[in-house]
Amino acid sequence: MSDRKDLTFCSGYFSDPAASRALAGLLQDVFGIDVTIMNRLGGPDPTGIPFSWFDADGACIANISAFSLPLVIDGVSVRAAGLQSGAVRPGHRGMGLYRDVMEAALAHCDAEGFAAVALLTDTPALYGRYGFEPRAQHRFAGSAPGGGTASPVRRLDLGSAADIALLRRLLDGRQPVSDRFAPARQTEMFLFNTALMPDVRLDLIGEEAVIAWRMAEDGAFELLDIAGARIPRLADILASVQAGATRVFVHFAPDRLEWEGDALADAGDMVLMLRMAKALQPQGPFALSPMAEF
Ligand SMILES: CC(C)(COP(=O)(O)OP(=O)(O)OC[C@H]1O[C@@H](n2cnc3c(N)ncnc32)[C@H](O)[C@@H]1OP(=O)(O)O)[C@@H](O)C(=O)NCCC(=O)NCCS
């Protein structure tokens, strides 16, 4: 680690409330995102480890956080980590502080034996030097399948502690939504993303699966994710929620839905980057569900 006058490097301090508040302050100031809303959703990801520089007043100046992101890729369980919350305060940029925290986080991932590291960025040029490669993500588009079997549906409400507890239980015991590419566990970001996406509806279908969905402006049904011990068929989902759509977009590889759509490359600003052996990389088109974005 380079010598940084008046700055102190710290990692893994989530049990220190003042340091955690300082990190939240950095993310509020740089991204305008309030990560403390996670506290009312059951708390931050317990696997998260921040790597940060602090100044003498206790302000967090630079950070990247690593967390465990177990994946299923082409049917194989892959021990993976995610990197998120990468930021440096404007007055301290260009001094190599980001390089410091990235190198520390990647050394941690390598020492822990993670076979893959993933991140999402609008600046892919920052990460090639660390061995990350961009991967195209896709949406899957097609006609709404008919003939499904309807189950009872109940809309969940993140304002309800009982619904948050139910959702956490289903997320903790979930099946991956795709065998091609999906997190095996991603509870905290699912809840956080739901809180940030007011147009997303969470419907409990039967007793074992919650679907995250919304209607597109053109009237298409958009399926964002499924949390549960069972992955329902797309036809059964549509019969249950009765959205009345004729067209569907699925935001993850739909191999478990008994439905096929056309894979359309996503043109969004955020690029998924993976650092992993070629042999483990996903072969077909896929996407990380928007509810799992980090
Ligand atoms: C991106 C950001 C974290 C860089 O912080 P920084 O402290 O200036 O970065 P460093 O000084 O450690 O630079 C590390 C390297 O990245 C390069 N770099 C910095 N910003 C870059 C950019 N926007 N595009 C490409 N490379 C960049 C630097 O040239 C340096 O290269 P070197 O190691 O060959 O000298 C900072 O500008 C920031 O917080 N931006 C706003 C939030 C953001 O974009 N976060 C990352 C998104 S995932």
Side-chain angles (χ1 to χ4, degrees):
M1 190 81 48
S2 335
D3 184 28
R4 305 295 193 190
K5 197 168 166 296
D6 299 328
L7 297 181
T8 307
F9 180 81
C10 269
S11 76
Y13 50 77
F14 271 159
S15 56
D16 175 346
S20 296
R21 274 198 302 279
L23 172 57
L26 171 72
L27 301 178
Q28 178 74 58
D29 292 347
V30 173
F31 297 117
I33 293 179
D34 178 7
V35 293
T36 65
I37 62 176
M38 282 197 167
N39 296 336
R40 75 169 175 80
L41 300 172
D45 186 335
T47 72
I49 302 184
F51 297 84
S52 321
W53 281 110
F54 287 83
D55 73 6
D57 298 323
C60 187
I61 300 299
N63 179 72
I64 187 88
S65 300
F67 61 98
S68 167
L69 178 66
L71 295 171
V72 172
I73 300 177
D74 293 327
V76 176
S77 294
V78 176
R79 245 190 106 225
L83 296 182
Q84 66 180 171
S85 307
V88 177
R89 287 195 181 273
H92 289 78
R93 290 181 188 165
M95 301 164 47
L97 297 184
Y98 197 55
R99 193 170 56 228
D100 293 346
V101 294
M102 276 297 295
E103 285 174 358
L106 290 172
H108 162 83
C109 292
D110 292 342
E112 289 291 312
F114 286 112
V117 186
L119 59 79
L120 288 158
T121 183
D122 61 1
T123 320
L126 264 171
Y127 298 103
R129 79 195 66 197
Y130 303 111
F132 287 88
E133 290 178 9
R135 289 297 312 230
Q137 297 198 76
H138 293 77
R139 287 185 306 161
F140 297 82
S143 303
T149 305
S151 295
V153 171
R154 181 169 76 78
R155 177 79 31 98
L156 300 189
D157 172 10
L158 278 199
S160 152
D163 282 358
I164 291 174
L166 170 70
L167 199 47
R168 289 191 74 92
R169 185 173 58 71
L170 290 171
L171 284 161
D172 285 344
R174 79 188 301 187
Q175 284 281 318
V177 77
S178 159
D179 284 329
R180 224 181 277 163
F181 187 95
R185 186 190 176 281
Q186 232 307 20
T187 299
E188 288 74 20
M189 287 314 298
F190 186 110
L191 291 162
F192 186 58
N193 286 324
T194 304
L196 298 181
M197 297 164 74
D199 59 339
V200 171
R201 305 169 203 193
L202 295 182
D203 281 342
L204 177 66
I205 297 189
E207 292 182 355
E208 294 184 287
V210 167
I211 62 157
W213 67 283
R214 68 183 169 210
M215 294 301 287
E217 277 173 14
D218 64 2
F221 178 87
E222 287 191 75
L223 182 59
L224 305 178
D225 207 344
I226 301 171
R230 191 180 59 82
I231 304 296
R233 298 186 313 148
L234 182 58
D236 296 343
I237 292 173
L238 294 173
S240 301
V241 300
Q242 296 178 7
T246 55
R247 197 157 170 73
V248 177
F249 286 101
V250 176
H251 288 255
F252 51 86
D255 46 284
R256 303 193 67 178
L257 300 180
E258 294 189 24
W259 172 85
E260 282 181 23
D262 297 325
L264 310 174
D266 204 348
D269 292 339
M270 296 308 273
V271 177
L272 176 70
M273 301 197 77
L274 298 176
R275 177 184 185 260
M276 64 194 301
K278 282 259 179 302
L280 287 177
Q281 292 189 4
Q283 296 303 307
F286 72 93
L288 181 71
S289 141
M291 310 316 294
E293 282 179 10
F294 52 87

